[in-house]
Amino acid sequence: MGLITRIQDCFFPKLPLIPPVFDEDGWFVCFDGSRKHRTMRMDDEEFTFRCIYSASHPFTGKGRASPSRPPEHWHRYQTEWFTILDGSLGYLVNGVEHKAKKGDVVTLQPGNVHSFWCDPKDGEDLTIDITLRPGKGLDEEWVYSVYGYFESAFVQGKGLSFLQLMVFWDEAEGVPGTVPKWIGRFLVWAFGKHVGRWAGYKGTYQLYADAAKAQRAPSGKVTPV
């Protein structure tokens, strides 16, 4: 460990990262087994990953109040699609709540402030394909790193670092959506692009990036299971 890293970690202690856990089918499992995902396609044109959320687990099955719900955010350049394969999805777009069911496809344009969750009312687990185009920004390495970090915090009972979250948003070219857009962009620019990275936080972590690639077929696609 170099001197600069020692100084960074002294003033900005880092969360110890826990190696990812995969089940026998190659799914990255987290939050006491209540959420899992795997890559379906990863290339410059598109990133698609499949997620399964438990409708009965308290971490993922409390609807909009679920701790697993992603914070409201928006993407600067990527278009995002939700394809519902099983169960029901609750989601927010620009402050308006919606619901989608099996067979529905939801399109989110760049700039749309959104979040989503498993709607547990029908009792079925949510299976959803999340697609982003182009495949750069919020991509495979980012998703595995973010959920690896979240899982590390969950297992150790630790809080999330504000600077780390801002660096994650900077890496993904995304912006938190709980504040006016210009404030969100300023927060990411100041605390993500500059302060957070200077403090030693990273936008992706090799531990998770290597694990993600190891689970992916050479073509960049994974055969659905």
Side-chain angles (χ1 to χ4, degrees):
M1 183 183 295
L3 177 60
I4 293 178
T5 301
R6 290 179 182 273
I7 293 173
Q8 290 171 327
D9 290 348
C10 178
F11 288 97
F12 301 95
K14 306 302 189 298
L15 176 74
L17 299 179
I18 295 174
V21 174
F22 293 88
D23 68 12
E24 59 184 10
D25 294 318
W27 293 83
F28 178 18
V29 181
C30 53
F31 307 146
D32 193 30
S34 64
R35 181 198 179 277
K36 58 184 180 180
H37 77 257
R38 68 179 305 181
T39 298
M40 307 307 292
R41 173 178 171 178
M42 180 65 242
D43 54 46
D44 289 345
E45 294 181 359
E46 177 183 310
F47 171 47
T48 295
F49 63 109
R50 181 166 297 172
C51 298
I52 300 178
Y53 290 84
S54 169
S56 59
H57 194 284
F59 201 78
T60 52
K62 291 186 177 181
R64 187 170 173 176
S66 298
S68 64
R69 179 171 77 90
E72 291 178 56
H73 63 281
W74 53 280
H75 306 290
R76 295 180 65 186
Y77 306 113
Q78 289 176 297
T79 302
E80 185 170 11
W81 289 265
F82 298 150
T83 303
I84 317 306
L85 304 177
D86 277 305
S88 297
L89 174 79
Y91 65 101
L92 280 174
V93 180
N94 298 327
V96 180
E97 186 170 333
H98 305 270
K99 184 175 180 178
K101 61 185 184 303
K102 181 177 179 178
D104 289 344
V105 178
V106 177
T107 302
L108 300 166
Q109 299 294 339
N112 286 164
V113 179
H114 61 280
S115 180
F116 68 91
W117 55 89
C118 170
D119 186 336
K121 293 180 181 178
D122 61 7
E124 293 187 24
D125 294 348
L126 171 66
T127 302
I128 178 174
D129 277 359
I130 301 176
T131 298
L132 295 112
R133 297 176 184 159
K136 294 294 185 181
L138 196 162
D139 59 14
E140 180 181 64
E141 290 189 6
W142 189 89
V143 167
Y144 278 80
S145 294
V146 166
Y147 279 95
Y149 176 81
F150 287 174
E151 172 69 357
S152 297
F154 176 82
V155 169
Q156 298 172 76
K158 303 288 187 179
L160 304 177
S161 162
F162 170 77
L163 289 179
Q164 176 63 85
L165 295 178
M166 291 302 102
V167 171
F168 279 147
W169 285 129
D170 177 59
E171 184 76 16
E173 296 182 327
V175 182
T178 54
V179 295
K181 287 186 175 181
W182 71 270
I183 294 178
R185 292 186 65 172
F186 173 78
L187 291 174
V188 173
W189 175 83
F191 296 102
K193 185 176 293 295
H194 296 287
V195 177
R197 292 185 187 271
W198 177 86
Y201 294 98
K202 298 178 181 179
T204 62
Y205 288 92
Q206 204 63 43
L207 171 66
Y208 302 114
D210 290 345
K213 291 175 182 176
Q215 296 295 323
R216 193 200 329 147
S219 66
K221 298 181 181 180
V222 176
T223 302
V225 295

